[in-house]
Amino acid sequence: MIEIICGEKGKGKTKQLIERANRSVDSISGNIVYIDKDSEKRFELSNKIRLINLSEYEVYDSHELMGFICGILSQDYDLEEIFLDSFLKLSNLKDDEIEEAMVKLKEISDRLNVNFVLSLSKNEDSLTEYTKSFVVEKL
């Protein structure tokens, strides 16, 4: 499953993402990973959530990000949820590439039984119908 929190920059998407991640600690039995562009949220996230600072790794585009995610999943069979903060920055996607990335994430989610929750700095109106189908919260 993919869930998207979308909205313009500065609307509180990261706060919502952190709250959802922290709530997940009590509601799921498996592991949780939170991928971000830095380590600033380490004190806001539960210590049961693995925070990965993507800037420490050489991940520069969406294909490398998908490979990175699959590598994480290959090492942790108990991983149930992956949170991706500032997904567009993490993946360096252009507007016309977002849907293709969602298709790939959906394939990974279905095949490996993992949930993805991501923040997307876009208005829902600017997304394709396919991508809109994953929006659970718009700010």
Side-chain angles (χ1 to χ4, degrees):
M1 171 173 55
I2 299 173
E3 296 178 81
I4 296 174
I5 299 170
C6 69
E8 292 297 319
K9 184 176 179 172
K11 295 292 184 181
K13 296 178 300 299
T14 295
K15 182 180 177 187
Q16 293 294 322
L17 202 64
I18 289 169
E19 288 174 5
R20 288 177 68 101
N22 286 332
R23 279 195 313 265
S24 289
V25 169
D26 297 326
S27 63
I28 66 171
S29 59
N31 296 328
I32 302 168
V33 167
Y34 191 102
I35 301 174
D36 201 357
K37 60 192 177 306
D38 55 42
S39 297
E40 290 179 13
K41 283 109 186 155
R42 69 181 170 271
F43 299 115
E44 297 175 60
L45 290 167
S46 166
N47 63 356
K48 296 178 182 176
I49 298 171
R50 167 114 190 258
L51 173 63
I52 297 176
N53 176 354
L54 198 64
S55 70
E56 294 176 354
Y57 303 91
E58 294 189 29
V59 176
Y60 301 110
D61 62 31
S62 63
H63 297 289
E64 291 175 354
L65 180 61
M66 297 303 168
F68 185 81
I69 289 169
C70 288
I72 293 168
L73 288 164
S74 73
Q75 294 297 309
D76 187 349
Y77 295 110
D78 294 326
L79 187 53
E80 283 190 41
E81 285 193 326
I82 297 178
F83 290 82
L84 296 143
D85 197 1
S86 303
F87 182 71
L88 295 178
K89 286 184 182 178
L90 295 177
S91 60
N92 288 314
L93 286 171
K94 296 180 181 95
D95 289 348
D96 61 340
E97 300 170 327
I98 296 171
E99 183 172 329
E100 179 184 340
M102 291 305 112
V103 168
K104 186 65 176 169
L105 276 179
K106 178 77 168 109
E107 289 172 2
I108 294 168
S109 174
D110 291 346
R111 186 170 18 97
L112 300 175
N113 196 28
V114 64
N115 298 326
F116 293 100
V117 183
L118 50 109
S119 67
L120 200 62
S121 291
K122 292 296 237 183
N123 279 326
E124 184 182 29
D125 298 339
S126 66
L127 302 174
T128 64
E129 290 302 315
Y130 180 77
T131 305
K132 283 181 189 178
S133 70
F134 301 115
V135 173
V136 294
E137 197 165 339
K138 45 190 167 186
L139 303 173

